[in-house]
Structures are given as structure tokens and as C-alpha cells.
Amino acid sequence: MQLAGTNVGTQEAVSEGVSVEGLTVKFRGTPLIEGISNLFEPNKVTAIVGPTGCGKTTLLRSINRMHDHVAGMQVSGKVVVEGVNVYGADVNVREVRRRVGMLFQRPNPFPRSIAENVGLAPRAHGLANRGNVRDLVQEQLTTVGLWDAVSSRLHGSPFGLSGGQQQLLCLARTLALSPDVILLDEPTSALDPDTTDHIEQLMKKLSERMTVLIVTHNLAQASRISDNVLFLMKGNVVEATSARTFFHDPADERSRAYVSGRIG
Ligand SMILES: Nc1ncnc2c1ncn2[C@@H]1O[C@H](COP(=O)(O)OP(=O)(O)OP(=O)(O)O)[C@@H](O)[C@H]1O
Ligand SMILES: [Mg+2]
């Protein structure tokens, strides 16, 4: 697979995970992420946890180059996705963002119709054409469990949907680009328990074919769905281990304190 150069078309990709190597992110010279290294294993869910302000969102955003246009933000080190350093010289950033999808805490549908939210980007990337885009829209909306609720209003506005439905729509929009990696930043913090449960089940299922990174403050959620945990404090890795070890027998005293609610 190639992130460099031109579009890679519709070829099936096998996820290779994400590796960050000596990643440092600074804002106006102040380090927010301090030279961290970690392999986010392919086909696993990794929960990124840690106290407010420790750098979880900053780390996620560095993986698909979301800091590129933030004045004062400086990224160094490597982020390797599918064998390619996304900060390499001839990398196609548009292709990086297709390969690495992102879902935010607040749903952010485009001000276009429900169908266009899912179908426009695949058409722009050459992953669908006029003839099959309708099928793709139906397939993705079905995957996220939204089809029955929206099939009669596909050309209506997404802003008439509930917050949970908007989040599912944004997930369908991301999945429509066949990403290898999906980054989720507190995706269920504003959702009811049923929608949260639905998204958690989907994450587990999606990890069969992609690498899933989820930031969450909900440790019960992290223990339910994650295979691995990366615990950050003040822009540094405290512990990176299996979820079983992190929640039951962590190596670091700070992890123990965090899991038991004494910090964070
Ligand atoms: N665009 C920005 N400009 C300046 N500072 C920033 C910016 N984004 C993040 N920071 C700083 O980087 C640090 C880490 O922020 P980040 O949003 O990554 O934390 P977080 O772990 O996601 O916290 P939370 O759990 O509250 O979402 C904070 O001190 C924050 O103020
Ligand atoms: Mg955050």
C-alpha cells in the first residue's frame, strides 16, 4: 500500500497498526507530548486514558496530521501507518486522512443531506461512482444501525437527527472511506447507554478489520472494549500494556492510583 503519491483506489488493505516513534508535539515551544513511542497493534482496540490535559486528543490528532494547520503547533518524530511515516516528505495528506478516520466527541455532520454526508467523500476519492454510491450509502448506514431510521429521509438534513443518530451518521461517513485506522475521541460521552452500547459493539466488530484507538474517560468502557491500554500523564507514557494487566495488575503505582480513582 502507498500513502505517498496518488490515490490507491479500492484495493483491500490489511491493517498493520500504527506506530509512533519519538513523537513530540509542541505548542509555541512548550511540549504537550514528550517524545513518546508506542505500537498500536493492528486489529486491536487500544484505549488511551489519562487525566484531563495529559495530551490524549493531541496524540490522536497527530496521527492523521490534524495539527498541520494549527499555528504554533510543531510535530516531530514519526507516525507510521501501514508502513509509511505520515510526516514523510512526499506523503499525500488527503490519503492519510482517508486511511485514518476520526470521530469526535461532538458529532459534526456536514450541512448537506444525510445521503451526501456518507456518499460525497467516497465519490471524491474515486471509491464510488454515480451508479454504486447509493448502495454504498445504504451499506454504511446499515453497518452502523441507522438505515431503518433514515431510509425515508435520505435527502433531508442531518441536523434533524438526534445527537446519537448524528454520531452514528458521522461514523458511517468515516467508514465509507474504508479506513485502516479509526481514531475516536470520547465518541460516546454525550450518548445514552443504548447508543453507547451499540457503538462499543461496533468498535469490537470493526477491530476485526482495522486498528481502533479510542480516548475515553470512562474506565468501565475502556475495560469492556479495549485489548490494550495506553496511560498518559503530562504528555508522557506511564504504562502501555494489555487491558487485563492495566486493570488488574498494573506495573506502575500511578496506574494503580488512576484505576482506583485516586488520580484523574
Ligand atoms: N490548539 C492548542 N493550542 C494550545 N494548546 C493546546 C492546543 N491543543 C491542546 N493544547 C494543550 O495541550 C495540552 C493537552 O491537551 P489535550 O486536549 O490533548 O488533552 P486531553 O488529554 O485530550 O484532555 P481532555 O481529557 O480534557 O480532553 C493541554 O495543556 C492543552 O491546553
Ligand atoms: Mg481531549
Side-chain angles (χ1 to χ4, degrees):
M1 109 96 234
Q2 32 158 231
L3 282 172
T6 53
N7 203 312
V8 294
T10 56
Q11 75 188 54
E12 274 303 307
V14 177
S15 183
E16 294 176 15
V18 175
S19 142
V20 299
E21 299 166 23
L23 180 73
T24 293
V25 182
K26 292 182 180 173
F27 181 71
R28 305 223 159 104
T30 303
L32 310 179
I33 295 286
E34 301 194 45
I36 75 174
S37 297
N38 189 59
L39 170 66
F40 296 93
E41 288 186 87
N43 305 110
K44 302 268 192 222
V45 177
T46 300
I48 302 171
V49 300
T52 277
C54 69
K56 303 179 296 295
T57 297
T58 303
L59 169 61
L60 272 200
R61 288 168 56 89
S62 64
I63 293 172
N64 66 350
R65 290 188 56 165
M66 298 272 292
H67 297 305
D68 281 19
H69 306 295
V70 181
M73 209 60 100
Q74 189 194 350
V75 180
S76 58
K78 281 188 185 176
V79 174
V80 181
V81 175
E82 303 300 312
V84 173
N85 177 16
V86 305
Y87 289 95
D90 62 344
V91 159
N92 178 342
V93 178
R94 194 163 163 263
E95 184 63 6
V96 169
R97 302 237 173 91
R98 184 183 82 68
R99 292 270 174 182
V100 184
M102 188 160 185
L103 198 65
F104 301 88
Q105 181 175 9
R106 301 248 164 255
N108 58 347
F110 300 140
R112 306 291 290 255
S113 73
I114 290 171
E116 285 172 322
N117 263 274
V118 181
L120 277 184
R123 284 204 64 186
H125 281 268
L127 300 174
N129 56 41
R130 190 192 286 264
N132 63 11
V133 71
R134 201 183 282 243
D135 290 344
L136 180 103
V137 167
Q138 177 167 355
E139 185 191 331
Q140 299 306 333
L141 289 171
T142 302
T143 297
V144 301
L146 201 54
W147 177 251
D148 289 344
V150 302
S151 59
S152 62
R153 54 201 282 200
L154 287 176
H155 302 295
S157 163
F159 301 110
L161 300 174
S162 75
Q165 288 173 328
Q166 290 185 31
Q167 191 65 306
L168 293 173
L169 176 65
C170 292
L171 182 58
R173 180 179 72 191
T174 301
L175 296 180
L177 289 173
S178 300
D180 301 306
V181 179
I182 185 156
L183 311 174
L184 306 141
D185 196 355
E186 303 188 51
T188 63
S189 61
L191 304 182
D192 69 36
D194 279 354
T195 316
T196 296
D197 180 59
H198 180 65
I199 289 191
E200 288 182 5
Q201 305 292 338
L202 262 172
M203 292 306 107
K204 282 309 275 182
K205 186 114 194 70
L206 289 172
S207 70
E208 291 168 12
R209 59 187 164 98
M210 58 188 78
T211 304
V212 180
L213 277 59
I214 178 168
V215 167
T216 180
H217 279 286
N218 181 339
L219 290 184
Q221 175 171 69
S223 72
R224 276 193 299 274
I225 65 167
S226 67
D227 301 291
N228 296 321
V229 174
L230 181 74
F231 175 38
L232 297 180
M233 283 182 78
K234 295 181 182 165
N236 288 279
V237 176
V238 175
E239 190 159 352
T241 185
S242 71
R244 177 177 293 267
T245 301
F246 185 75
F247 287 108
H248 299 290
D249 189 22
D252 195 290
E253 176 51 33
R254 290 166 295 174
S255 307
R256 226 174 276 279
Y258 185 72
V259 167
S260 68
R262 279 180 282 134
I263 53 173

